[in-house]
Amino acid sequence: MCKCNDKLAKEFKKEGVEVVIATMNRNSLDFLIPMFPFCHFSEFSILIVNQTKGHNLLTSDFPSVRVVNSFDRGISKSRNLGLERARGKIILISDDDEIFKKDFDLTLIKAYNDFPNAAVICFRIEKPDGTLFKKYCKKTKVRPSQLDLFSVFSPEICINKGLVEASNTLFDTNFGLGSTFTMGEEAVFLTDLKQKKLQIVLVPEVIAVNPIITTTDKLDFEQKYYVQGAFFSRVLKTSYFKGLFLKLFFDIKQNKLKIRQIPAALRNANQGKNDFYNAC
């Protein structure tokens, strides 16, 4: 192997990985212990964004664990602050209830050395019972479709900080838990990167275990379609109705929506669309 290729192969190393964790109202680092069951959390570079109040601050005595106490609200604001303050070359997005797999960092490093021009690499996560969290592509995918991006969860996302920062791409603070539209922030973020011609890669390797119940699962169909109306307006624009009717079709096919619920779903989607445009 020539020297230039050898240099490229070693571009990303373990010390360049930083885990950026979004959490709320913490005053102890104890929540990190179950997240890293195979070793002590201080062995990793970690940045915690703790959305809290002034009387309830989180601190760290570990040099490898940094804390930012924020008095804002909203998961997208937390993600953006984390990206701004992160120091690592590779940034793994995380919530405070993830359980990482042993050698997850080596999986990230290998993927980025395989795809050094990727702005984002998305991995797999599992349910607590060891089954996959959802249906994933079976092979590495270097040109994911828009539909592929729509199904990505935050804990699957790993970011090349330099490339994303240079593109001036942030999470849209209108979307995500704690915002007006309570989900979809991941797909909006990835769609923005795709539209800027940045590379996104899907790699079929498991990096963590995620709880079965998600924010989306807690919403009823009317709330979901309200957000979908805003979401499709944001990412599909003139193809809004195509996206909405495809969503209706698949939800009915998968028994997630009853035929009699269609009028209410359309009504709520239209309200979400209108509220999104009014907020712009």
Side-chain angles (χ1 to χ4, degrees), residues 77-88:
K77 290 183 178 180
S78 179
R79 302 290 191 216
N80 289 339
L81 184 56
L83 290 177
E84 176 189 339
R85 299 289 186 89
R87 297 172 181 169

Side-chain angles (χ1 to χ4, degrees), residues 113 179 195 240:
N113 282 324
S179 304
Q195 290 175 348
Y240 167 83

Side-chain angles (χ1 to χ4, degrees), residues 246-259:
L246 281 173
K247 172 68 176 171
L248 285 168
F249 172 77
F250 284 113
D251 279 355
I252 292 169
K253 185 177 180 180
Q254 296 172 5
N255 295 316
K256 295 179 179 179
L257 190 73
K258 307 292 184 184
I259 297 293

Side-chain angles (χ1 to χ4, degrees), residues 7-232:
K7 182 179 178 181
L8 180 63
K10 296 180 180 179
E11 180 178 357
F12 295 99
K13 301 177 182 179
K14 181 172 180 175
E15 54 266 28
V17 175
E18 187 169 16
V19 182
V20 178
I21 302 173
T23 192
M24 292 183 67
N25 302 318
R26 298 286 186 180
N27 53 29
S28 167
L29 296 179
D30 288 350
F31 75 95
L32 293 175
I33 296 172
M35 295 182 68
F36 299 87
F38 46 84
C39 68
H40 195 267
F41 58 78
S42 62
E43 294 185 23
F44 294 90
S45 177
I46 298 171
L47 174 65
I48 302 169
V49 180
N50 181 46
Q51 292 188 336
T52 187
K53 296 181 180 179
H55 65 275
N56 189 40
L57 301 181
L58 179 65
T59 61
S60 170
D61 294 326
F62 299 95
S64 62
V65 180
R66 296 185 297 126
V67 176
V68 177
N69 288 292
S70 171
F71 307 121
D72 280 331
R73 282 291 181 269
I75 188 64
S76 288
K77 290 183 178 180
S78 179
R79 302 290 191 216
N80 289 339
L81 184 56
L83 290 177
E84 176 189 339
R85 299 289 186 89
R87 297 172 181 169
K89 294 180 68 174
I90 302 175
I91 308 302
L92 180 61
I93 297 295
S94 177
D95 293 323
D96 59 6
D97 53 1
E98 300 301 306
I99 302 174
F100 294 109
K101 291 284 191 177
K102 186 178 181 180
D103 295 331
F104 76 95
D105 54 333
L106 300 183
T107 301
L108 307 183
I109 294 163
K110 181 182 184 306
Y112 268 103
N113 282 324
D114 288 343
F115 300 99
N117 295 318
V120 169
I121 299 181
C122 302
F123 297 87
R124 289 178 172 183
I125 53 177
E126 290 180 343
K127 299 176 184 177
D129 64 3
T131 60
L132 291 177
F133 193 79
K134 65 181 187 188
K135 185 177 181 180
Y136 292 94
C137 58
K138 295 181 179 180
K139 297 181 179 180
T140 297
K141 204 166 190 178
V142 296
R143 293 182 181 84
S145 68
Q146 191 69 65
L147 284 177
D148 289 325
L149 302 185
F150 283 178
S151 68
V152 173
F153 290 100
S154 293
E156 301 168 4
I157 296 175
C158 190
I159 293 172
N160 180 322
K161 178 177 168 64
L163 292 178
V164 171
E165 195 169 60
S167 74
N168 294 313
T169 305
L170 295 172
F171 284 85
D172 188 329
T173 56
N174 289 306
F175 292 85
L177 188 63
S179 304
T180 303
F181 309 110
T182 55
M183 60 184 187
E185 74 279 2
E186 310 97 326
V188 173
F189 177 71
L190 295 176
T191 298
D192 287 348
L193 291 172
K194 183 180 176 70
Q195 290 175 348
K196 293 178 180 179
K197 309 300 183 183
L198 274 75
Q199 185 180 32
I200 300 169
V201 179
L202 309 183
V203 172
E205 296 288 342
V206 175
I207 58 171
V209 177
N210 193 77
I212 296 176
I213 302 299
T214 66
T215 301
T216 303
D217 296 326
K218 298 176 183 178
L219 301 179
D220 61 33
F221 84 93
E222 293 182 342
Q223 293 172 308
K224 289 179 182 178
Y225 272 87
Y226 173 75
V227 176
Q228 292 292 345
F231 173 75
F232 288 136

